[in-house]
């Protein structure tokens, strides 16, 4: 009997050991093979050498990315910014190469892997987790509401600012949206309160908890299903995200509760109508927006639409009062982070409501202020 007992003990031990070794191996293979990471990266926007973001300066003389733009638009420029090239940290010290994409070594180097604070155009300095600080540095925008304050200070609300122009927050400024009032990126009205960073829910609180750092797409859960589906029951994949509603509030007051993305779009439409009325009635020059640089054009025939012949650079809108500058800034802010509804929808809505309220003091706009989140 004793002999058998020992044998059973040995068998159990062998089972235990193989189980242990197996589990270690399984753990190892859960960290991704480099080939897979590379394939993901190659398919991402960061690797797209033909993108406007990396080729915008190709026809310049000399063909280089100016220092002010280089931090975000040239991998080489980012390496200069963080000081990995031996230059001063937190400044780009020379123009950088064109067609220099966001390659592996841009994010994987000593300085990059220790980066943990990010400066925002508003002047805010915010602590970030090490991985997220990378994303947040480039996805922070170039101008904030404070730029509008500076450009329009000293003028009456409806006074025309000589050389006034359309100040925009730039593009894909996800980290600024996400931080809300902590990043102070929107044009925030003095008497109003704004939400801070969007804490969302456990497991979806940081850039890299949601975004795969290499493909840039959403991560999936351990079982391979959609990350958002765990909590948002109407979701099975990306195509459903814009239909997510949690609060169930009909923010745009059209008697249907839509996904937050669409509610924001509805409120933005009211703001747009307010801007058009204001431009025509108060500034005496009709205005229209088109998704084409410089975005705001003179609506010369006042039909409410920017036609092809009106959508030319020489027809850019030029009559800016402080009130138009700040409301147009917030309008553009709600558009140029197209994922604003996920990153911090309430902050976007607050800015839109306050801008509408601002215009409603001088022109007739119908909206329900009680719906402001
Ligand atoms: C803080 C980072 C940052 C800085 C500084 C910056 N950009 Fe960008 N820019 C971006 C990001 C991020 C995008 C990517 C938007 C997208 O394609 O999703 C972008 C997009 C663009 C685009 C493409 C727009 C489009 O519609 O595809 C142009 C043009 C551009 N930037 C010009 C400039 C210029 C000119 C400067 C310097 C005066 C500059 N940027 C400075 C971050 C920055
Ligand atoms: C935009 C920045 C960025 C770029 C570009 C980038 N990475 Fe990464 N990489 C990260 C971040 C952030 C993490 C950590 C991811 C996390 O913890 O979710 C990471 C993690 C890794 C890991 C560890 C993965 C693991 O499972 O532990 C490897 C290996 C890696 N990257 C290789 C590469 C290679 C190879 C390239 C180029 C093909 C590349 N990376 C490009 C940001 C980047
Ligand atoms: C060195 C600057 C830089 C860093 C660091 C960076 N990005 Fe980007 N990102 C860009 C630029 C520039 C583009 C636009 C590229 C293009 O148009 O092809 C972009 C594009 C994107 C896009 C696609 C936008 C679109 O229009 O489809 C996503 C998503 C994104 N980045 C997320 C991230 C995440 C997540 C991180 C951190 C892991 C990160 N980025 C780090 C500069 C950066
Ligand atoms: C809750 C998950 C979540 C978090 C957290 C998150 N994102 Fe996103 N992000 C998304 C989703 C979803 C989209 C695409 C939404 C869509 O296209 O409708 C997106 C889109 C983007 C885009 C592309 C926007 C464009 O121009 O099309 C960028 C860039 C980006 N995120 C960067 C970031 C950065 C930087 C952070 C951290 C500060 C971050 N995201 C945090 C879910 C998240
Ligand atoms: C762990 C659960 C959980 C996961 C995973 C999750 N969410 Fe959420 N989501 C919530 C909760 C809780 C709220 C309400 C948060 C609040 O308003 O403070 C919310 C709110 C939202 C809102 C705002 C809706 C509204 O009407 O205010 C959007 C949009 C959203 N989530 C999108 C996403 C997307 C896209 C993903 C996947 C990338 C995702 N969520 C993943 C729990 C989750
Ligand atoms: Ca430098
Ligand atoms: Ca609605
Ligand atoms: Ca609607
Ligand atoms: Ca017209």
């Amino acid at each position: 009997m004793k002999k058998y007992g020992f044998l059973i003990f040995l068998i159990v031990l062998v089972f235990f050991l193989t189980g242990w070794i197996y589990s270690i191996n399984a753990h190892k293979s859960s960290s991704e093979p480099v080939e897979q990471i590379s394939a993901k990266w190659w398919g991402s926007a960061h690797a797209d050498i033909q993108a406007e973001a990396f080729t915008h300066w190709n026809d310049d003389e000399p063909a280089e990315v100016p220092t002010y733009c280089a931090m975000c638009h040239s991998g080489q420029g980012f390496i200069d910014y963080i000081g990995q090239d031996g230059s001063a940290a937190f400044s780009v010290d020379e123009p950088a190469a064109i067609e220099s994409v966001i390659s592996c070594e841009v994010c994987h180097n000593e300085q990059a892997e220790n980066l943990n604070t990010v400066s925002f155009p508003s002047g805010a300095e915010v602590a970030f987790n090490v991985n997220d600080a990378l994303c947040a540095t480039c996805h922070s925008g170039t101008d904030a509401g404070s730029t509008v304050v500076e450009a329009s200070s000293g003028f009456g609300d409806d006074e025309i600012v000589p050389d006034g122009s359309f100040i925009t927050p730039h593009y894909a400024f996800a980290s600024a949206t996400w931080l809300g009032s902590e990043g102070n990126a929107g044009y925030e009205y003095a008497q109003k309160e704004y939400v801070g960073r969007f804490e969302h829910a456990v497991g979806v609180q940081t850039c890299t908890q949601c975004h795969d750092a290499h493909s840039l797409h959403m991560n999936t859960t351990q079982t391979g299903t959609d990350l958002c589906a765990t909590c948002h029951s109407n979701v099975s994949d990306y195509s459903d995200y814009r239909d997510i509603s949690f609060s169930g509030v009909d923010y745009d007051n059209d008697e249907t509760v839509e996904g937050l993305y669409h509610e924001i779009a509805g409120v933005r439409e009211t703001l747009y109508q307010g801007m058009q009325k204001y431009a025509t009635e108060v500034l005496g020059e009709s205005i229209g927006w088109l998704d084409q640089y410089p975005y705001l054009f003179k609506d010369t025939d006042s039909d409410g639409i920017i036609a092809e012949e009106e959508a030319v650079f020489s027809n850019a809108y030029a009559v800016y009062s402080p009130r138009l500058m700040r409301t147009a800034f917030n309008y553009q802010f709600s558009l140029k982070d197209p994922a604003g509804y996920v990153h911090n929808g309430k902050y976007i809505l607050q800015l839109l409501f306050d801008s509408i309220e601002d215009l409603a003091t001088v022109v007739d706009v119908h909206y329900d202020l009680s719906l402001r989140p």
Side-chain angles (χ1 to χ4, degrees):
M1 262 333 264
K2 249 189 168 176
K3 243 184 177 174
Y4 279 111
F6 185 64
L7 207 65
I8 289 168
F9 170 75
L10 268 184
I11 291 169
V12 170
L13 190 73
V14 167
F15 262 87
F16 181 75
L17 277 176
T18 45
W20 185 60
I21 289 166
Y22 185 78
S23 105
I24 284 185
N25 269 324
H27 248 98
K28 244 197 197 154
S29 64
S30 83
S31 86
E32 285 181 81
V34 174
E35 309 82 77
Q36 192 178 317
I37 289 177
S38 300
K40 279 181 174 177
W41 177 82
W42 274 108
S44 80
H46 287 166
D48 183 0
I49 197 166
Q50 281 163 13
E52 179 69 15
F54 303 120
T55 57
H56 184 73
W57 301 265
N58 286 16
D59 298 331
D60 288 4
E61 195 56 60
E64 58 190 19
V65 185
T67 52
Y68 177 71
C69 318
M71 174 177 89
C72 313
H73 285 286
S74 170
Q76 190 199 26
F78 188 78
I79 288 172
D80 177 339
Y81 175 75
I82 58 181
Q84 182 66 27
D85 62 354
S87 70
F90 300 112
S91 68
V92 179
D93 299 295
E94 49 189 56
I98 52 163
E99 298 178 354
S100 172
V101 297
I102 323 292
S103 56
C104 316
E105 58 278 12
V106 173
C107 294
H108 294 292
N109 62 62
E110 212 189 323
Q111 293 292 340
E113 288 174 356
N114 287 309
L115 189 69
N116 59 12
T117 45
V118 179
S119 312
F120 286 84
S122 64
E125 301 266 340
V126 183
F128 270 84
N129 296 332
V130 163
N131 294 333
D132 294 327
L134 287 167
C135 322
T137 299
C138 293
H139 292 285
S140 57
T142 55
D143 281 297
S146 55
T147 320
V148 178
V149 175
E150 281 160 33
S152 59
S153 80
F155 295 91
D157 284 339
D158 304 310
E159 197 178 327
I160 287 156
V161 180
D163 306 321
S165 63
F166 184 25
I167 295 166
T168 63
H170 207 60
Y171 307 102
F173 40 84
S175 60
T177 320
W178 180 72
L179 282 174
S181 62
E182 278 181 68
N184 195 15
Y187 181 94
E188 298 183 2
Y189 288 84
Q191 318 307 331
K192 300 283 180 177
E193 292 208 7
Y194 295 89
V195 293
R197 69 180 68 190
F198 183 38
E199 304 273 8
H200 207 157
V202 176
V204 287
Q205 281 169 326
T206 69
C207 315
T208 48
Q209 278 178 350
C210 285
H211 291 270
D212 180 301
H214 304 113
S215 72
L216 309 178
H217 295 146
M218 289 299 100
N219 288 315
T220 47
T221 64
Q222 265 157 349
T223 55
T225 53
D226 187 273
L227 178 64
C228 322
T230 358
C231 303
H232 297 288
S233 55
N234 62 330
V235 170
S236 50
D237 60 35
Y238 172 80
S239 65
D240 303 318
Y241 294 175
R242 294 181 175 192
D243 295 324
I244 294 174
S245 169
F246 187 84
S247 51
V249 177
D250 176 23
Y251 290 109
D252 68 357
N253 208 10
D254 67 353
E255 284 162 25
T256 352
V257 174
E258 304 146 286
L260 192 61
Y261 176 88
H262 299 287
E263 293 293 346
I264 290 174
V267 179
R268 180 195 300 127
E269 186 53 34
T270 304
L271 172 58
Y272 184 53
Q273 286 160 10
M275 282 163 55
Q276 288 192 309
K277 261 196 168 159
Y278 174 76
T280 309
E281 291 173 18
V282 179
L283 302 178
E285 176 94 75
S286 298
I287 198 171
W289 186 93
L290 203 70
D291 197 3
Q292 178 188 314
Y293 189 78
Y295 303 102
L296 287 173
F297 298 92
K298 291 177 202 156
D299 180 14
T300 43
D301 59 1
S302 297
D303 68 346
I305 294 159
I306 299 302
E308 222 180 298
E309 58 278 12
E310 291 170 320
V312 288
F313 194 83
S314 57
N315 192 48
Y317 199 80
V319 191
Y320 284 92
S321 66
R323 203 188 305 274
L324 181 61
M325 284 165 98
R326 63 201 185 219
T327 51
F329 181 90
N330 282 346
Y331 180 78
Q332 187 85 351
F333 190 82
S334 79
L335 277 163
K336 288 298 166 189
D337 175 3
Y341 74 104
V342 191
H343 293 143
N344 201 343
K346 290 208 174 90
Y347 184 62
I348 304 280
L349 281 169
Q350 290 177 332
L351 296 170
L352 292 175
F353 271 96
D354 296 344
S355 302
I356 295 169
E357 191 184 1
D358 184 5
L359 292 170
T361 61
V362 283
V363 292
D364 194 19
V365 203
H366 296 283
Y367 74 107
D368 182 355
L369 182 60
S370 73
L371 295 168
R372 183 190 191 270

